[in-house]
Amino acid sequence: ICGMMMGKDKNRYGQYFTIEAIADFMVSLIRHDRSASVLEPSCGRGVFLGQLEKYGFNNISAYEIDPALNPPYPYVQYRSFVSSPLDERFDVIVGNPPYIRWKNIEPELKSELEDSSLWKRYFNSLCDYLFIFILKSIEQLTENGELIFICPEYWMNTTHSRSLRDYMIANGSLSEIFHFKDAALFEGVTSSYVVFRYVKSVHNAGIDLYRYNQKGKPSVQELQQKSCFDFIRIPQFRQGERWVLASEEDRMLLSAFEQECSKRSDDLFSPVDLYRLGDFCDIGNGMVSGLDKAFRIKDVSGLNDGEKSHLIHVYKAKDLQPFYNISDSYYFFMKEEISENQFQIKYPSVYAQLSACRDELSKRYSYGKDLKFWEFAFPRNESLFRRQEPRIFVPCKERISHKNYFRFAFADESTFPLQDVTGILKKPDCNEDIYYILAYLNSSRVFHWLIYNGIVKGDIVEFSEAPLASIPYRPIDWDNDAEVAIHDEVVNNTKQYIATKDIGILEMIEQNINDLFHV
């Protein structure tokens, strides 16, 4: 299968096929001479095979599990690479391996994995089908053999792929990584892709990292000339760590930041344990109406007192800027047990507005409930947002292509987030002021950490509960007068900036945070 396997919604194998420009580019990365033995382990329709032949390779082998694809090359074997002979050796393995999460794997493929000695040795049911293709390919390379794959980048930093990363570093090293972010390399698929070249038994000191800097699909000429990439040299990855696509300088900054957020221990040999935002704050995704336009009240003056009593003050993602909001709205939100006739009598203006959208409201996802058309689809984390205390809101997803900030914004105790916003409230035992936390989250240090360690897909950073909870946190040492003074200054400056929008105060806040990290 050449491409990404996404489950059964597309077809049995969920095939997505590599565009010719990428296949041409990947074959051009091969350093071995044309007599090298080459394997394409999931050849699909044969786009890589055509490029290999074009470049003059003539000792080619290929596997394809789906005979219906029928690539026009006589050396294609219609069988699964996973159970192919492990003692076969190749100088080069190139292609676009399948990717599928365990829960979506076809039963016969899952059974094949359970019979695989490599799978049982290195992986488990939290791992993905892609992993066995990478590891088995390396096993079957000759000394100094090359593995050149295109795949999503997620496995470079997830916990359950650590065994694969450690295996790769123990048995060789990467020489080049081409990071395509979310460029449209496959039809109908949005993900962040990398092309990597790995060399078995060779331990390079550094990796040439190329970041794609264009929109849309690249041309063959742009790829060959590397004119569509920005280039930096990054250190080789080490065992036991997430693979961060950052320069040595950036890695040192990240390490220093985490060190300042670490819990002190008298045991020099204990692992570093970080304070995290989730230790000090309760975090929840916003409530889901299912059809915002139906519940948003544009003219509050036209409502009766009963209708007004069920209004909630709302911020959506578009309303947020760093530190403050630029707009807001009111939504009708009610959980009262009531018949439709009673609802129409008690809340006539809202009833008329909702009735106009009744067909669309009936098509909302109901979350397994008998959903009335005047009810929110999912009042997620309502009890959290009912707490009478100020909070911080941030968009659930933030595109950062051309900006160097996130939009953590202050909200008062009566404001609710909707589904495209995540809310952050202090835990009862958190001593820092909410304005300190707000300034901290908007600081350059946190931005820098999230770029490399957050949940990033292409140029989009995700801010759901777990990613936010994982942010390293710098608590105040309340026995240290200097830290307490900095905390208070941060709070005062942050309040002043929200009130005045004076840009000069932002520099003062950033300097406050810098001072805290150097106390």
Side-chain angles (χ1 to χ4, degrees), residues 315-327 392-395 398 400 403-411 435 437-444 447 493-503 506 509-510:
Y315 291 166
K316 291 173 60 68
K318 66 178 178 60
D319 300 324
L320 305 180
Q321 285 293 302
F323 291 94
Y324 60 89
N325 69 298
I326 55 174
S327 57
I392 297 168
F393 289 169
V394 64
E398 187 76 288
I400 53 168
K403 58 188 177 186
N404 60 353
Y405 60 85
F406 296 118
R407 293 179 290 155
F408 291 95
F410 177 84
Y435 287 101
I437 299 171
L438 176 65
Y440 178 81
L441 291 174
N442 280 308
S443 69
S444 61
F447 177 85
N493 284 333
T494 301
K495 289 180 178 179
Q496 187 178 357
Y497 175 67
I498 292 173
T500 66
K501 314 299 189 293
D502 180 353
I503 300 298
L506 288 179
I509 295 171
E510 185 71 13

Side-chain angles (χ1 to χ4, degrees), residues 77-363:
Q77 298 183 54
Y78 293 100
R79 61 179 303 177
S80 169
F81 172 65
V82 172
S83 57
S84 66
L86 190 57
D87 58 358
E88 291 181 328
R89 292 292 178 266
F90 301 93
D91 299 318
V92 178
I93 299 179
V94 63
N96 175 14
Y99 154 62
I100 183 171
R101 300 197 183 281
W102 176 268
K103 66 179 181 179
N104 294 325
I105 297 176
E106 295 286 334
E108 66 270 26
L109 300 184
K110 192 175 291 188
S111 176
E112 181 184 36
L113 291 177
E114 291 169 341
D115 291 337
S116 165
S117 60
L118 288 177
W119 180 269
K120 288 187 288 189
R121 181 177 176 184
Y122 292 100
F123 306 127
N124 56 45
S125 60
L126 295 176
C127 299
D128 298 333
Y129 199 51
L130 166 69
F131 297 3
I132 192 67
F133 272 73
I134 295 175
L135 192 142
K136 187 171 186 285
S137 292
I138 295 171
E139 283 278 306
Q140 292 187 229
L141 286 175
T142 58
E143 294 298 292
N144 303 320
E146 304 172 65
L147 174 63
I148 302 170
F149 269 172
I150 181 171
C151 57
E153 68 162 321
Y154 73 95
W155 60 275
M156 292 185 166
N157 50 44
T158 56
T159 300
H160 61 265
S161 53
R162 176 175 171 174
S163 59
L164 172 62
R165 295 195 301 270
D166 285 352
Y167 170 89
M168 293 176 73
I169 297 306
N171 290 278
S173 61
L174 291 110
S175 63
E176 292 116 303
I177 297 175
F178 298 86
H179 188 200
F180 286 91
K181 300 183 180 179
D182 54 358
L185 302 186
F186 299 90
E187 295 294 342
V189 183
T190 300
S191 186
S192 182
Y193 302 100
V194 293
V195 168
F196 68 85
R197 179 179 178 271
Y198 173 91
V199 186
K200 186 173 183 177
S201 306
V202 173
H203 296 278
N204 295 307
I207 303 169
D208 290 341
L209 173 62
Y210 296 87
R211 290 194 177 104
Y212 190 63
N213 59 22
Q214 306 291 317
K215 292 184 178 180
K217 296 179 181 179
S219 68
V220 172
Q221 183 177 12
E222 287 176 323
L223 291 168
Q224 295 290 359
Q225 295 177 354
K226 298 185 174 65
S227 60
C228 54
F229 298 103
D230 296 321
F231 169 78
I232 62 170
R233 180 88 165 165
I234 66 174
Q236 190 61 235
F237 303 125
R238 296 183 292 269
Q239 286 187 293
E241 68 178 12
R242 299 169 69 248
W243 288 4
V244 178
L245 302 181
S247 67
E248 180 66 23
E249 179 183 3
D250 282 340
R251 289 194 198 183
M252 291 176 65
L253 290 172
L254 292 169
S255 178
F257 172 65
E258 291 186 350
Q259 189 63 38
E260 285 294 326
C261 298
S262 63
K263 301 175 182 178
R264 304 297 183 238
S265 173
D266 296 330
D267 183 359
L268 297 176
F269 300 100
S270 64
V272 175
D273 191 11
L274 298 179
Y275 291 109
R276 304 278 186 179
L277 186 65
D279 300 328
F280 296 82
C281 293
D282 294 320
I283 303 168
N285 296 125
M287 302 196 305
V288 181
S289 74
L291 188 66
D292 285 356
K293 70 177 183 180
F295 291 89
R296 183 183 179 189
I297 306 299
K298 295 182 180 180
D299 183 10
V300 175
S301 65
L303 305 184
N304 64 34
D305 290 343
E307 290 169 324
K308 289 178 182 178
S309 71
H310 290 291
L311 294 183
I312 56 173
H313 187 231
V314 163
Y315 291 166
K316 291 173 60 68
K318 66 178 178 60
D319 300 324
L320 305 180
Q321 285 293 302
F323 291 94
Y324 60 89
N325 69 298
I326 55 174
S327 57
D328 60 1
S329 52
Y330 286 92
Y331 278 60
F332 184 84
F333 173 69
M334 190 191 75
K335 297 173 67 178
E336 177 184 344
E337 289 292 332
I338 191 172
S339 70
E340 182 174 343
N341 185 55
Q342 290 173 315
F343 185 84
Q344 183 177 9
I345 294 170
K346 292 181 67 174
Y347 311 113
S349 297
V350 173
Y351 180 86
Q353 177 172 318
L354 291 169
S355 294
C357 302
R358 193 162 185 161
D359 286 345
E360 291 177 89
L361 287 165
S362 68
K363 297 174 184 176

Side-chain angles (χ1 to χ4, degrees), residues 336-493:
E336 177 184 344
E337 289 292 332
I338 191 172
S339 70
E340 182 174 343
N341 185 55
Q342 290 173 315
F343 185 84
Q344 183 177 9
I345 294 170
K346 292 181 67 174
Y347 311 113
S349 297
V350 173
Y351 180 86
Q353 177 172 318
L354 291 169
S355 294
C357 302
R358 193 162 185 161
D359 286 345
E360 291 177 89
L361 287 165
S362 68
K363 297 174 184 176
R364 293 176 297 167
Y365 182 68
S366 65
Y367 296 87
K369 299 183 300 181
D370 180 17
L371 195 63
K372 307 295 190 298
F373 74 88
W374 58 82
E375 295 177 330
F376 264 40
F378 185 21
R380 181 172 53 185
N381 296 308
E382 180 194 355
S383 60
L384 174 64
F385 303 125
R386 288 286 185 192
R387 281 164 40 178
Q388 290 299 297
E389 58 187 277
R391 62 281 313 266
I392 297 168
F393 289 169
V394 64
C396 290
K397 295 184 178 182
E398 187 76 288
R399 181 173 290 277
I400 53 168
S401 308
H402 304 291
K403 58 188 177 186
N404 60 353
Y405 60 85
F406 296 118
R407 293 179 290 155
F408 291 95
F410 177 84
D412 66 25
E413 64 275 5
S414 63
T415 304
F416 288 76
L418 289 192
Q419 65 191 50
D420 60 352
V421 171
T422 303
I424 303 167
L425 287 79
K426 287 172 46 176
K427 289 182 181 292
D429 57 354
C430 175
N431 293 318
E432 287 78 37
D433 194 286
I434 192 70
Y435 287 101
Y436 165 81
I437 299 171
L438 176 65
Y440 178 81
L441 291 174
N442 280 308
S443 69
S444 61
R445 279 180 164 81
V446 170
F447 177 85
H448 189 255
W449 188 89
L450 284 166
I451 292 301
Y452 292 112
N453 293 284
I455 306 301
V456 184
K457 298 180 179 179
D459 278 331
I460 297 176
V461 182
E462 295 190 1
F463 288 121
S464 56
E465 288 129 330
L468 282 170
S470 72
I471 295 173
Y473 183 74
R474 177 60 163 84
I476 298 298
D477 178 357
W478 296 101
D479 294 323
N480 184 318
D481 290 342
E483 290 200 12
V484 174
I486 292 171
H487 169 272
D488 294 346
E489 192 170 352
V490 169
V491 171
N492 290 332
N493 284 333

Side-chain angles (χ1 to χ4, degrees), residues 1 13 40-46 49 61-81 83-84 112:
I1 303 163
Y13 297 111
E40 216 289 38
S42 52
C43 71
R45 294 172 179 156
L49 305 181
S61 301
Y63 293 112
E64 174 49 50
I65 198 172
D66 184 2
L69 295 177
N70 194 29
Y73 300 94
Y75 43 78
V76 174
Q77 298 183 54
Y78 293 100
R79 61 179 303 177
S80 169
F81 172 65
S83 57
S84 66
E112 181 184 36

